[in-house]
Amino acid sequence: GEDVEQSLFLSVREGDSSVINCTYTDSSSTYLYWYKQEPGAGLQLLTYIFSNMDMKQDQRLTVLLNKKDKHLSLRIADTQTGDSAIYFCAESPMDTGRRALTFGSGTRLQVQP
Amino acid sequence: EAGVTQSPTHLIKTRGQQATLRCSPISGHTSVYWYQQALGLGLQFLLWYDEGEERNRGNFPPRFSGRQFPNYSSELNVNALELEDSALYLCASSHGQGSTDTQYFGPGTRLTVL
């Protein structure tokens, strides 16, 4: 079955760049997503990338996809204290009959002032 | 545009009782999804409803059930509650078309089973 893995924790200083990594196993994935979860809140969609793309940039966010290695990364430029949260990557299956997102365990980003 | 809404925010039940959680999707969205976020287990897919029908189900026992109403809102029912059902239950909605169907999440209902 599908599996998505992330490192559990990342600590950076305010103003630095953060890079959160994710690996997945399902080669038939169509879209790969990044969600942000702040304490006690739901999931906020940050960005997504289609599996035939290598890179997507959206303001401070850059997503890189290495389809050969099944590796996804999210780079946050000029990281701010408000970026402190848990970041989840998720993959969407090709099979539209299933539609269930498979999530990684989440990476807790701590931004130190 | 209003986002996905869920009620109640918090729900406290005792073991053996039933819980009902509600979700209203984004206007224009026909698909509703339910996920469970339990401590130590991560986010797990529960159910997907589209156009009033259950389309897919995750690896959960039958005491987790739900329905989707004609206005596309949805209920999740959990019968015979167990302590392990304590979790944040997240609802998401999408347009319901094609494989490019981005899911937008609500704030969740925190269920505590005592």
Side-chain angles (χ1 to χ4, degrees):
Chain A
E2 306 90 2
D3 191 24
V4 179
E5 293 192 0
Q6 300 178 238
S7 52
L8 290 180
F9 186 76
L10 176 66
S11 180
V12 300
R13 290 200 177 277
E14 193 173 19
D16 288 350
S17 290
S18 307
V19 179
I20 301 171
N21 295 301
C22 171
T23 57
Y24 61 98
T25 58
D26 187 356
S27 58
S28 70
S29 297
T30 53
Y31 277 77
L32 295 139
Y33 300 87
W34 284 104
Y35 287 90
K36 174 184 179 183
Q37 186 176 37
E38 297 186 59
L43 299 179
Q44 175 193 351
L45 176 67
L46 289 177
T47 187
Y48 58 89
I49 189 167
F50 188 48
S51 56
N52 68 352
M53 296 170 65
D54 298 325
M55 185 181 94
K56 181 179 180 182
Q57 187 149 4
D58 185 0
Q59 299 183 336
R60 291 192 297 125
L61 305 178
T62 303
V63 179
L64 295 177
L65 175 61
N66 181 329
K67 195 172 180 183
K68 174 176 165 287
D69 295 338
K70 299 192 184 71
H71 183 266
L72 181 73
S73 67
L74 174 69
R75 179 177 180 269
I76 305 173
D78 186 26
T79 313
Q80 303 298 306
T81 54
D83 295 324
S84 293
I86 300 176
Y87 291 80
F88 292 92
C89 70
E91 56 110 9
S92 174
M94 173 73 79
D95 180 359
T96 58
R98 290 189 292 130
R99 201 67 72 78
L101 292 176
T102 300
F103 286 87
S105 54
T107 299
R108 182 179 297 276
L109 174 64
Q110 181 181 70
V111 183
Q112 298 176 1
Chain B
E1 180 186 278
V4 177
T5 59
Q6 293 187 243
S7 64
T9 306
H10 294 90
L11 190 56
I12 299 175
K13 295 285 186 179
T14 56
R15 202 168 46 180
Q17 285 188 312
Q18 181 200 38
T20 298
L21 289 65
R22 297 179 177 83
C23 172
S24 291
I26 291 170
S27 178
H29 285 188
T30 63
S31 276
V32 170
Y33 312 80
W34 288 94
Y35 291 84
Q36 182 197 63
Q37 187 177 27
L39 204 61
L41 292 177
L43 279 149
Q44 294 184 289
F45 167 75
L46 261 167
L47 289 159
W48 167 33
Y49 291 95
D50 182 61
E51 298 285 357
E53 299 284 333
E54 182 182 302
R55 303 294 184 183
N56 192 18
R57 181 182 185 85
N59 190 22
F60 282 85
R63 59 191 186 81
F64 287 84
S65 65
R67 54 181 172 164
Q68 187 178 32
F69 299 99
N71 67 353
Y72 303 112
S73 67
S74 176
E75 268 183 8
L76 174 68
N77 295 294
V78 188
N79 293 319
L81 284 164
E82 300 179 2
L83 297 177
E84 310 83 76
D85 298 332
S86 294
L88 181 68
Y89 288 84
L90 293 165
C91 172
S93 74
S94 73
H95 284 288
Q97 296 167 7
S99 62
T100 65
D101 211 17
T102 302
Q103 297 179 27
Y104 297 88
F105 284 79
T109 293
R110 180 149 316 266
L111 173 64
T112 302
V113 182
L114 303 175

